[in-house]
Amino acid sequence: MELKDLIRLMWRNVKYIIFGLVLGAGVGLFVSKIQPPVYEATAKFFVSRVRQQGNTDMLSLSDEQLLAINLQLAQSQSVLDDVSSQLGSRVEVDTIQAGAIPNTLIIQIKAQDDDPQRAAMTANLLVQTLIQQNDILLSGRYAAFESAINEQADQVQKQIDALQTQIDQVNEAGVQEQLVQVNQQIEQLKMEIASLEEEVASFPYTPSPLERITLAEKQAQLDQLHSLMTLYQQIQTNLIYIGQPGQNGSRLEDPEFATLLSTLGIYQQINVSLINSRENVRLARMQGAQNIMQIVLATPPKDPIRPMPVLYFLLGGVVGLALVVSTILLIDHLDDSLKSVKQMEELLGLPVLGSVSDYKPVSSGLITSHNLFSLEAEAFRTLGASVEMISAEKNICTLLVLNVESADTETTIAANLAVVNALRGKKVILLDGDMDRPRLHTLFEIENQNGFAELLSTKLDLNRACQAVSGVKGLTLITGGVKDKESAAWLDAEKWGQLLIQLQRQADLIIINGPSAEVADAQILASKISAVLLVIRPGYTPVDAAQTALRRLQLVGAHTAGIVLNQKTQHQKIKTRILSLLKTKLYGNKDSRDVNAEAENANVLPF
C-alpha cells in the first residue's frame, strides 16, 4: 500500500479514528478518576566508614560494599517485617524503592502508600531500622573474631606460665610435657585451619555483599591461624632439640636452658601479637559502629504520584487511536473488494468512465431532473459526456447498464443517464430490462403495464409500450412489465434482437437498465447490445465477482465499454445545500422543475 492510499484509507475512516481517539481518552480519564491515589515519600541517608590510619582493620569494607549491603538490606524481608511491626500495617516489597544517587554515598528510600502520612512514616522507619541492622551486622562480624583471639590469648598465657615454671626447674620430663602441649596445640590449629579452608571454599565464585562480609571474616581468622601455626612449629622445633641439662658450668651456657628462654620469648611475642590484634578489632568496631546518618527526613507529600489524569488521558487516546487504526488496517487487508480506480483498471482492464452517486430523494425520482445544481447531477452529466465520446468513436446506439451483484440492483444510474442524454437533445428510449424487479416506472410515476415482458411474450404493439416521460422532452420509457414465469419467451435471444432493432429506428440512443450480471437475462441482453456499462460499488463489490461478471460478458461476445463507480459522497447534504443556495441566487425562488421547463423552451441546457 502506497502512502497516498494509506492517507485516503485513514481519511475515509476519519470518523472512526476520531471516535477511537475520544473514546480512548475518555476511558483513560475515567480510569484515572476511579483509581485510588498513591503518595510517595522520600528519605535520604549517608553511608560511609571512618577512615583509619595504618590499615589496622582486617575486616574493613569499601564504600561500594557498604552501599551494596544497605541497598540489599533495604528491601530484605527481615527489615520490612521489622518496619511492619513498628508501623502496625503490612509493608510490601513492591512499595519500597531503594537506589544510590550516582557519584555519591547517598541512598534514597522511596515509600509508596495511599496515605501520605503513612508513606512518610514508612520511609523514616525504614532508615532507622537500617541503622540498627547495620550496628548489629557490623559489630557482630567483629565479635566472633575477638572471641577467637581471646581464646588463643588465654591458651598462650597458660603456656607462658608453664614454660616459666620449667625454666625455673629444667628437667627432661618438663620439656616432654611442654612438647606434648605444643603438639596438641598444633593439631588443634590444623583442624581449625582445615575447617576454615573448607568454609572459605564453599562460598560461591561471586558472593553477595552480605556473603563478602562473612568471607572476609573467615579469611582474616585463617590468616591469623596460619601465623600462629608458624610460631608453634618453631616452638616445637626448639623443644625437640633440647638436650639434658648440663652438670657443669653456668645455666646460661646450658643449651636446654637457652632453648627454653628462646621458646618463652616466642610465646611472649605471640601473646603481644594477639593483644595487639584484639585491640585493633575493638578499635575498628568502635570506629565503624556509626556508618549511617540520615540527612533528609521524609515528609508527607501533598500531591499523589499516580494516577496522573493528563498522562492517562493522553495514553488512553493513543491506545484508542492505535486500536482503531490497527482495526482499519486489518479490515482493509482482509477486504477483497475493489477500492481504487487504479486497482479496477489494472484487474479488469477497463477504463473508469465516471463516478456517480446512487441518489434518490424521497419526494422525487431523479437528481438530474429535479436538482440540476447538485454535484450528483454534475457527475451524471460528466458520465453522459464520456459515454457520448465513446458512442461517437464506436457508433454505440444501444447501451446496457449492468450491475455486478444482485445486491447492487437498486440503482437509478440508467434513468439519470437517460435524462442527461435527453436534455442534450437526443431521442432516448429508456428500457427497464430487469423483469424480475422492475422499478423505473416508480421513479417516473408511470403504471407498469404493457412493458418489456409483454413485448417479448405477446404480440403487443411497440407504440403502446412506449410512454413519454413528462417534464423531460425526448425521453421515452418502456417499463419492465409483468413477467410470465411459465413462458420462456424471455429466453429467446432472437426475439430480443428483433425488438432492439425496432427500437433503434425510433431513437438515437437506447439505454437499458439491466438486471444483475449474475442472472441469465443479463447475458442474453448483453449479447445483443452495442456496449455495456459495468456498475461497481467501490469498497463493496468483490474482485472475484467483478472478474466473473466480466468473463461471462466476454463469453457471450458482449462489448464492455467501461466501468461506472456507484458511490455516495460523505458530505452530500452539505454540498446539496450549498448548491441550492447558489440556485436561489441565480434563479430566485423558482422550483427546479420550472428551471428545466425554461431551459427546454429556450432550447438550452441549464448545465
Side-chain angles (χ1 to χ4, degrees), residues 402 522-523 526 532 534 548-558 560:
L402 201 61
Q523 299 180 44
V532 178
L534 202 60
T548 301
L550 185 60
R551 283 195 296 269
R552 288 176 179 174
L553 294 176
Q554 293 172 346
L555 286 175
V556 297
T560 306

Side-chain angles (χ1 to χ4, degrees), residues 216-234:
E217 179 183 346
K218 300 294 183 182
Q219 191 64 49
Q221 293 181 12
L222 188 61
D223 294 340
Q224 182 70 21
L225 291 178
H226 278 298
S227 178
L228 290 177
M229 173 65 75
T230 302
L231 294 174
Y232 274 112
Q233 287 175 346
Q234 185 177 355

